[in-house]
């Protein structure tokens, strides 16, 4: 019987201005979001190209200077450009970049906040923070993920709040229920029509956005399929919420108020609170402490330069022809002392960052919008997991880079012009897509289960108290 | 008793007896109180940390060992942005803008240490008093007032009230006063707590006027939303009034700010970091590099110096040319950075202006801009701090270079060091945020549009009241 209701409702929806308005808004905002995503992704790609070009130019200039020294057969000197420490710390850098993933136009996430370029030298991996207006950064982008995560539930609730109450207030509910149809079948038929309309609308938006912004490679198509599945499950969840409220037998206005409050509390306040809790539980050392601790350690290293150099040399297995007061040895000893002094604070900072992230991931299971946002960000490669993995990979790369140069610096093995082209650049190792799809699949499972429970509750409530509705 | 006052009292008492009122106001009031206390705690800690960090940075500077003044210029100094007291009410862009300026020779560094870059911020909803007042208070008002008139009309009591002599104007005014009064009473504890907590923070007297203006602004904002809701309620059925106001709330509160920011970033783009650095490096190459000057420019500089001191050799100069060379390089880089950062600040201000214009479609944007300005946490204050730090850096580095230039010669260059006498003689960095008048002057458009919204709300209410008269 619900199919009859579905067909009737489907036809009726197309005669209603509100349905067209909702579809139009969805399409317009979705495409606007897609263009924003495309713009940011293009911006990021251009920035990465510029960064790599600068590094390549610097490397080429360095190679020229080494060639010149080789041509002149210049003798080694303390600040010779061929000295590994001089090269690694001052003359060249490795550009480490987190490239946009396939499907990146579908979610910008926090990509505009997190450094995606790092300048790796033997001294450090320095984040290249983007020049962004903090006001825009605080506001965030209207990307497709925002439209789906935030605005889609609002549209669902706006189209569904009066699914039963509207009929009752018009006096047609009694008439409908006088037919051989259960109240739950009437409600579910009406909601099914809305589900078809909205899911179809979002899928159409997604397909158009995909055609506008993405290259249809198999991986991107797989991500699009996962995106569509997630959107479908998420839509069903919010429709189930609308069904549970509709089954209470409240007036249309009261139902609308209840749904708006649920959206605000569950969809907006809960994610914000989850982030607040994570920050409260794992704040990490404050910036002021990190900055001044570094300066204190630098002062200490400066004051004990000779002692540190002697100790450093005593600890090394590699014999060195350099004297303890040589700049390269002093630099290596100073860096080792700074690392040792700052390690506890830096580890505490990294642990707090990881802990905050873990807490947000765990708390997301309580807030569907947060879980959806995380899932869509992950599909587009804009999630925290990928960024943290990037930072850790860069840190490991920098350690290896420095260790290689330090080893050669101790042996005072000069850089040769013919080896420069063979230096291995940083390359991001991506996680398997299955990891992302697995978590998204679990989220969809949770939403479908929750939807089934809410629909079941609504059906039972309607069966128990259908008469109350009349 | 005048009719409007009787209606207000009736509405007020009715709401106070309503459990839904206490549940909804209690929830929002508690949230507001919790956000205020948590914000105050964070602001207190941040204020203390940054003050201590500034003191330690100064100590690091004055207690550094004797060294060449230019080495000291490379060593540099850190300046930490002070936390304004009212940041606990409205954190504005604080989490998204850096808090530390590293001031050193040759280079202007961006502020660093923004919490958002390290995953310590969220853009869902700022969990501050201002965030809740801007986004959640309107929903509370809509929920409480959408059927204030329409409900009476639909139940027939409006006609009854009219038959008893209640004029529509008095009825609407009474409802505005009654609901507003009840809401004010429910939210008063959070406001009082905010005022009391402010008093415990440093800089409270300076902030008290701003806090009063902020409180007045949010009261007006609430009344404006209430007036719009009552107008909708008087004009339409309760269902249409509710839906239209909910739609307005969602679009103006959650969609318009993002669309405005996106369009502003699109129409007034800023360069990427690598593009910015390349442009700066290109312009720097046009000047002289103190550490690695091109031969012909170095020769020209030396010739100028020899002519100025009427000397034949650099060794004959009564000063150290290296110090002046460094300062020459510094002056050029200062001009380059001023040019490039000037363009960035200009872009930021134009983007902020476009966002202010978007307040035409969102009263929340207007009050949000004003609130940040009053709290000293808007982009204008961010730029003011960055510029203050840069204006401190110029004479700071110049003093060190000139000390090197005028207190040593080429003959004594190797041995010359400055000591604590010079370090302590250099004034510490101090920062005074823009005065209240200046902060508000920069927000004239937001102020004007907020006024327009208040006017629209009054006009809508008046129009709906007149229509109510005709309907009778």
């Amino acid at each position: 019987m619900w199919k009859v209701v579905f067909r009737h409702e489907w036809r009726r929806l197309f005669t209603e201005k509100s349905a067209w308005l909702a579809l139009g808004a969805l399409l317009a905002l979705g495409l606007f979001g897609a263009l924003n995503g495309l713009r940011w992704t293009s911006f990021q790609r251009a920035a990465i190209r510029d960064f790599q070009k600068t590094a390549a130019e610097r490397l080429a200039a360095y190679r020229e200077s080494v060639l010149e020294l080789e041509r002149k057969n210049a003798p080694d000197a303390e600040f010779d450009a061929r000295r590994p420490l001089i090269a690694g710390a001052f003359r060249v850098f490795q550009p480490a970049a987190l490239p946009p993933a396939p499907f990146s136009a579908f979610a910008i996430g926090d990509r505009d906040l997190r450094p995606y370029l790092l300048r790796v030298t033997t001294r450090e991996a320095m984040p290249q923070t983007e020049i962004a207006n903090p006001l825009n950064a605080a506001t965030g982008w209207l990307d497709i993920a925002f439209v789906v995560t935030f605005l889609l539930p609002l549209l669902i609730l706006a189209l569904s709040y009066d699914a039963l109450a509207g009929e009752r207030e018009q006096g047609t509910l009694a008439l409908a229920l006088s037919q051989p149809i259960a109240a739950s079948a009437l409600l579910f038929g009406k909601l099914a029509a809305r589900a078809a309309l909205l899911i179809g609308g979002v899928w159409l938006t997604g397909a158009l956005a995909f055609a506008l912004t993405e290259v249809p490679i198999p991986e991107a198509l797989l991500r699009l399929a996962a995106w569509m599945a997630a959107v479908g499950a998420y839509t069903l969840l919010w429709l189930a919420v609308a069904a549970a409220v509709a089954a209470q037998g409240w007036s249309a206005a009261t139902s609308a108020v209840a749904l708006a409050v649920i959206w605000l509390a569950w969809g907006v306040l809960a994610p914000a609170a989850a982030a607040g809790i994570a920050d409260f539980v794992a704040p990490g050392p404050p910036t002021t402490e990190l900055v001044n601790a570094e300066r204190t350690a630098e002062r200490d290293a400066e004051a004990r330069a000779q002692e540190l150099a002697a100790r450093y040399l005593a600890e090394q297995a590699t014999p060195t022809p350099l004297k303890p007061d040589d700049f390269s040895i002093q630099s290596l000893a100073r860096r080792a002392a700074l690392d040792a002094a700052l390690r506890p604070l830096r580890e505490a900072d990294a642990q707090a960052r990881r802990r905050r992230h873990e807490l947000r991931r765990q708390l997301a299971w309580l807030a569907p919008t947060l879980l959806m946002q995380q899932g869509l960000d992950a599909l587009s490669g804009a999630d925290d997991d990928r960024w943290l993995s990037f930072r850790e990979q860069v840190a490991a790369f920098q350690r290896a880079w420095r260790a290689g140069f330090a080893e050669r610096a101790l042996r005072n093995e000069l850089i040769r012009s013919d080896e420069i082209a063979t230096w291995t650049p940083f390359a991001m190792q991506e996680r398997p897509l299955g990891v992302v799809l697995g978590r998204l699949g679990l989220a969809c499972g949770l939403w479908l289960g929750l939807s089934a429970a809410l629909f079941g509750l609504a059906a039972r409530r309607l069966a128990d108290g259908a008469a109350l509705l009349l | 008793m005048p009719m409007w006052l009787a209606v207000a009292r009736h509405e007020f008492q009715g709401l106070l007896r309503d459990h839904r009122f206490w549940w909804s106001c209690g929830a929002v009031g508690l949230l507001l109180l919790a956000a205020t206390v948590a914000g105050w705690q964070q602001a207190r800690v941040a204020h203390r940390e940054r003050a201590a960090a500034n003191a330690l940075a100064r100590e690091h500077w004055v207690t550094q060992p004797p060294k060449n003044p230019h080495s000291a210029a490379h060593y540099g100094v850190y300046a930490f942005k002070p936390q304004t007291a009212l940041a606990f009410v409205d954190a504005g862009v604080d989490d998204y803008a850096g808090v530390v300026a590293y001031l050193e020779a040759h280079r202007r560094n961006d502020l660093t240490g923004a919490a958002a870059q390290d995953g310590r911020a969220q853009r869902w909803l700022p969990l501050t008093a201002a965030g809740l007042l801007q986004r959640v208070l309107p929903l509370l008002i809509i929920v409480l007032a959408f059927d204030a008139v329409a409900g009476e009309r639909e139940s027939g009591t409006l006609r009854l009230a009219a038959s008893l002599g209640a004029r529509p104007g008095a009825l609407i005014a009474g409802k505005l006063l009654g609901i507003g009064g009840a809401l004010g009473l429910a939210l008063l504890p959070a406001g009082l707590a905010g005022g009391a907590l402010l008093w415990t923070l440093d800089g409270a007297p300076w902030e008290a006027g701003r806090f009063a203006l902020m409180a007045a602004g949010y009261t007006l904002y609430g009344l404006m939303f209430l007036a719009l809701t009552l107008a909708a309620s008087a004009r339409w059925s309760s269902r249409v009034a509710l839906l239209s106001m909910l739609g307005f709330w969602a679009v103006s509160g959650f969609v318009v700010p993002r669309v405005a920011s996106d369009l502003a970033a699109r129409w007034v783009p800023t360069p990427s970091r690598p593009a910015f650095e390349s442009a700066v490096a290109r312009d720097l190459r046009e000047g002289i590099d103190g550490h690695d000057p091109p031969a012909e420019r170095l020769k020209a500089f030396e010739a100028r110096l020899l002519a100025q001191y009427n000397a034949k050799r650099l060794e004959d100069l009564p000063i150290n040319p290296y110090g002046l060379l460094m300062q020459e390089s510094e002056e050029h880089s200062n001009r380059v950075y001023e040019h490039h950062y000037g363009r960035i600040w200009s872009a930021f201000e134009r983007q902020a202006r476009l966002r202010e214009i978007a307040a035409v479609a969102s009263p929340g944007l207007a009050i949000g801009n004003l609130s940040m300005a009053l709290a000293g946490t808007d982009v204008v204050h961010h730029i003011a701090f960055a510029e203050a730090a840069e204006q401190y850096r110029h004479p700071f580095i110049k003093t060190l270079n000139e000390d090197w230039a005028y207190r040593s010669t080429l003959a004594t260059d190797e041995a010359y060091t400055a000591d604590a006498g010079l370090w302590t003689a250099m004034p510490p960095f101090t920062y005074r945020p823009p005065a209240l008048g200046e902060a508000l002057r920069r927000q004239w458009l937001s102020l004007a549009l907020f006024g327009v919204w208040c006017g629209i709300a009054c006009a809508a209410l008046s129009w709906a009241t007149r229509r109510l008269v005709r309907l009778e």
Side-chain angles (χ1 to χ4, degrees):
Chain A
M1 195 61 186
W2 70 271
K3 286 181 189 167
V4 178
V5 178
F6 173 83
R7 274 197 298 274
H8 169 76
E9 198 66 18
W10 179 256
R11 283 195 298 271
R12 205 175 66 85
L13 274 176
F14 278 93
T15 62
E16 277 189 9
K17 276 185 197 161
S18 58
W20 286 108
L21 195 67
L23 270 185
L26 198 60
L27 204 61
L29 289 170
L31 293 181
F32 180 75
L35 291 177
N36 272 339
L38 180 64
R39 181 176 169 271
W40 176 254
T41 299
S42 308
F43 177 86
Q44 207 175 0
R45 286 202 177 109
I48 291 171
R49 267 199 310 275
D50 286 348
F51 189 50
Q52 288 169 337
K53 185 170 162 239
T54 305
E57 284 170 358
R58 193 125 179 201
L59 202 63
Y62 173 69
R63 189 171 170 275
E64 278 304 311
S65 62
V66 171
L67 261 175
E68 185 65 23
L69 289 168
E70 286 171 350
R71 270 199 293 269
K72 285 183 188 163
N73 211 8
D76 173 34
E78 189 174 14
F79 293 99
D80 193 304
R82 293 166 297 178
R83 284 275 183 101
L85 242 289
I86 302 294
F90 303 107
R91 300 297 298 267
V92 297
F93 70 89
Q94 279 282 5
L98 179 66
F103 209 61
S104 57
F106 274 62
I108 298 173
D110 285 346
R111 276 190 289 160
D112 58 324
L113 299 179
R114 309 284 172 80
Y116 56 92
L117 299 172
L118 280 98
R119 189 186 169 104
V120 178
T121 64
T122 54
R123 285 181 292 180
E124 63 200 338
M126 171 71 85
Q128 307 294 293
T129 49
E130 208 41 87
I131 300 171
N133 188 334
L135 189 58
N136 293 347
T139 308
W141 295 79
L142 196 148
D143 53 5
I144 303 181
F146 175 78
V147 174
V148 170
T149 309
F150 266 101
L151 304 183
L152 178 63
L154 270 182
L155 290 177
I156 293 168
L157 304 182
L159 285 183
S160 318
Y161 77 98
D162 63 346
L164 279 188
E167 298 268 0
R168 190 178 58 244
E169 285 164 17
Q170 287 166 18
T172 49
L173 182 63
L175 192 64
L177 291 180
S178 68
Q179 302 299 311
I181 182 172
S184 55
L186 181 68
L187 176 64
F188 297 158
K190 288 165 87 69
L191 291 182
R194 283 158 176 79
L197 181 80
L198 287 165
I199 292 174
V202 187
W203 284 1
L204 175 68
T205 308
L208 282 175
F210 187 86
L212 272 176
T213 61
E214 298 291 334
V215 180
I217 55 172
E219 189 186 333
L221 286 167
L222 183 59
R223 287 173 192 252
L224 177 64
W227 183 87
M228 287 182 162
V231 166
Y234 187 66
T235 305
L236 278 181
L237 173 69
W238 285 102
L239 278 167
V241 171
V245 169
Q248 302 307 313
W250 295 329
S251 69
T254 307
S255 299
V257 167
L259 290 171
V261 170
I262 290 171
W263 177 78
L264 182 75
W266 205 27
V268 181
L269 283 172
I277 290 168
D279 292 352
F280 178 76
V281 171
T287 305
T288 50
E289 192 181 343
L290 289 165
V291 168
N292 275 329
E294 194 163 333
R295 169 90 3 153
T296 304
E298 278 171 359
R299 284 163 58 92
D300 185 52
E302 191 183 350
R304 300 191 301 131
Q306 299 305 324
E307 177 199 335
L308 292 175
R311 191 196 298 171
Y312 178 77
L313 285 176
E315 286 168 357
Q316 303 309 308
T318 312
T320 177
L322 300 176
K323 291 178 181 162
D325 62 349
D326 185 276
F327 178 76
S328 292
I329 299 299
Q330 295 267 330
S331 288
L332 286 170
R334 182 170 168 275
R335 185 51 55 190
L338 287 180
D339 283 349
L342 296 171
R343 189 170 299 123
L345 204 56
R346 285 177 176 163
E347 280 176 2
D349 188 37
Q351 273 175 11
R353 190 184 297 126
R354 178 57 74 179
R355 177 93 181 105
R356 281 196 297 275
H357 170 60
E358 287 303 327
L359 275 169
R360 284 192 192 203
R361 272 170 66 90
Q362 288 160 4
L363 291 169
W365 293 101
L366 302 175
T369 43
L370 185 54
L371 194 56
M372 183 66 170
Q373 176 84 55
Q374 288 179 353
L376 297 187
D377 283 354
L379 270 182
S380 297
D383 56 317
D384 285 358
D385 269 339
R386 185 167 180 257
W387 182 75
L388 286 170
S389 164
F390 166 67
R391 290 300 298 259
E392 283 162 9
Q393 287 184 40
V394 174
F397 176 80
Q398 196 269 339
R399 281 195 297 274
W401 179 255
R402 192 174 68 191
F405 275 80
E407 187 71 19
R408 291 183 62 168
L410 278 172
R411 291 199 301 269
N412 200 28
E413 184 186 316
L414 300 184
I415 305 285
R416 299 182 317 276
S417 58
D418 60 350
E419 68 170 290
I420 294 172
T422 66
W423 287 348
T424 313
F426 172 80
M428 173 77 181
Q429 299 298 313
E430 297 284 358
R431 73 200 146 181
L433 184 57
V435 176
V436 174
L437 296 183
R439 183 171 158 89
L440 200 58
L442 275 179
C444 290
L446 172 74
W447 296 333
L448 290 176
L450 208 51
S451 304
L454 286 170
F455 279 128
L457 279 176
R460 187 183 296 174
R461 172 106 182 140
L462 287 172
D464 290 349
L468 293 174
L469 300 171
L470 300 175
Chain B
M1 182 186 287
M3 181 59 77
W4 61 270
L5 199 56
V7 174
R9 199 173 72 171
H10 172 75
E11 198 70 30
F12 184 81
Q13 288 171 343
L15 277 174
L16 294 190
R17 280 195 296 269
D18 188 344
H19 290 299
R20 283 174 306 173
F21 171 80
W22 284 114
W23 274 110
S24 51
C25 280
V28 175
L30 275 177
L31 266 177
L32 207 53
L33 199 60
T36 306
V37 174
W40 169 78
Q41 172 65 11
Q42 279 175 6
R44 203 165 58 105
V45 171
H47 184 84
R48 197 183 301 153
E49 278 170 2
R50 291 187 202 174
N54 268 325
L56 185 58
R58 176 67 182 170
E59 191 192 323
H60 281 155
W61 173 256
V62 296
T63 59
Q64 64 181 314
K67 60 176 73 160
N68 179 291
H70 191 69
S71 298
H74 275 284
Y75 177 73
V77 68
Y78 284 100
F80 296 87
K81 186 178 171 185
Q83 175 97 338
T84 59
L86 276 175
F88 83 96
V89 179
D90 191 341
V93 303
D94 269 8
D95 283 348
Y96 301 85
V99 293
V100 192
Y102 176 44
L103 312 173
E104 60 170 336
H106 307 305
R107 189 172 168 77
R108 176 172 185 171
N109 297 302
D110 267 346
L111 303 190
T112 56
Q117 285 168 9
D118 203 24
R120 276 185 287 192
Q122 54 86 17
R123 300 191 271 199
W124 302 81
L125 176 76
L127 281 181
T128 56
L132 294 172
L133 287 169
Q134 285 163 30
R135 308 275 177 86
V136 181
L137 177 66
L139 179 64
L140 177 67
I141 291 170
I142 293 167
V143 166
L144 290 177
F146 76 93
D147 63 347
V149 183
E152 295 222 25
R153 189 173 50 229
E154 285 157 13
S155 64
T157 49
L158 186 63
R159 198 170 290 275
L160 188 67
S163 69
L164 294 174
R167 288 200 317 278
L171 192 79
I172 297 284
K175 285 190 179 288
L176 186 74
L177 198 66
I179 299 172
L183 262 173
L185 184 71
L187 303 180
L188 191 63
L192 290 177
L197 292 174
L198 172 67
W199 212 250
T200 66
L201 294 171
D202 290 343
W206 178 77
E207 305 275 6
R210 290 170 177 249
F211 182 74
L213 281 175
M214 212 183 244
Y218 279 113
T219 305
L220 270 177
Y221 177 66
L223 283 172
M224 184 208 70
F225 245 98
L226 181 56
L228 284 176
T229 310
L230 285 176
S233 182
R235 170 69 183 84
W236 295 306
S237 69
S238 57
R239 189 171 148 190
V240 175
L242 175 68
L243 277 187
S244 55
M245 286 309 294
L246 282 179
F248 175 66
W249 165 73
V251 171
S252 68
F254 294 92
V255 178
V256 172
R258 287 200 180 219
V259 172
S261 286
D262 294 343
L263 291 177
R266 189 177 287 263
W267 290 336
V268 188
T270 47
S272 68
R273 170 65 60 187
F276 178 78
E277 296 290 348
S278 294
V280 168
R282 193 173 51 243
D283 287 354
L284 285 177
R285 281 197 294 273
E286 298 297 316
I288 192 162
D289 178 349
H291 287 290
D292 187 18
E296 69 280 8
R297 288 188 201 160
L298 180 63
K299 273 187 186 161
F301 171 76
E302 287 173 355
R304 208 168 63 238
L305 214 54
L306 290 172
Q308 185 187 341
Y309 283 94
N310 201 19
K312 288 190 176 154
R313 299 180 314 150
L314 290 175
E315 288 79 0
D316 298 334
L317 290 172
I319 51 109
N320 188 334
Y322 292 149
L324 293 184
L325 181 65
M326 289 299 174
Q327 189 50 34
E328 173 110 343
S329 156
E330 202 67 35
E331 303 283 352
H332 173 68
S333 64
N334 288 349
R335 283 192 296 276
V336 169
Y337 282 118
E338 190 180 341
H339 169 69
H340 285 280
Y341 274 91
R343 291 176 66 173
I344 296 290
W345 298 153
S346 163
F348 282 8
E349 283 174 1
R350 278 185 293 155
Q351 288 176 346
R353 182 67 71 200
L354 284 170
R355 216 179 114 100
E356 285 170 33
I357 292 170
V360 166
S362 167
L365 269 181
I367 188 69
N369 290 332
L370 289 172
S371 174
M372 282 191 287
L374 288 168
T377 56
D378 62 353
V379 173
V380 171
H381 283 79
H382 167 66
I383 295 174
F385 175 76
E387 279 302 304
E390 180 63 3
Q391 292 315 312
Y392 175 77
R393 189 178 76 89
H394 292 178
F396 182 82
I397 302 298
K398 188 177 182 187
T399 304
L400 293 165
N401 282 336
E402 289 186 343
D403 181 87
W404 186 23
Y406 297 120
R407 301 189 70 168
S408 71
T409 62
L410 276 184
T412 60
D413 178 54
E414 288 277 320
Y416 180 70
T417 57
D419 57 20
L422 177 61
W423 318 145
T424 49
M426 298 177 75
F429 172 71
T430 52
Y431 168 65
R432 281 186 71 82
L436 175 60
E438 171 66 10
L440 287 178
R441 192 182 63 76
R442 302 290 286 267
Q443 292 290 347
W444 68 268
L445 189 56
S446 296
L447 205 55
L449 286 174
F450 187 60
V452 167
W453 270 109
C454 290
I456 288 173
C458 290
L461 200 58
S462 157
W463 174 75
T465 307
R466 281 201 303 275
R467 206 180 147 81
L468 209 57
V469 177
R470 283 209 302 274
L471 282 174
E472 285 168 16

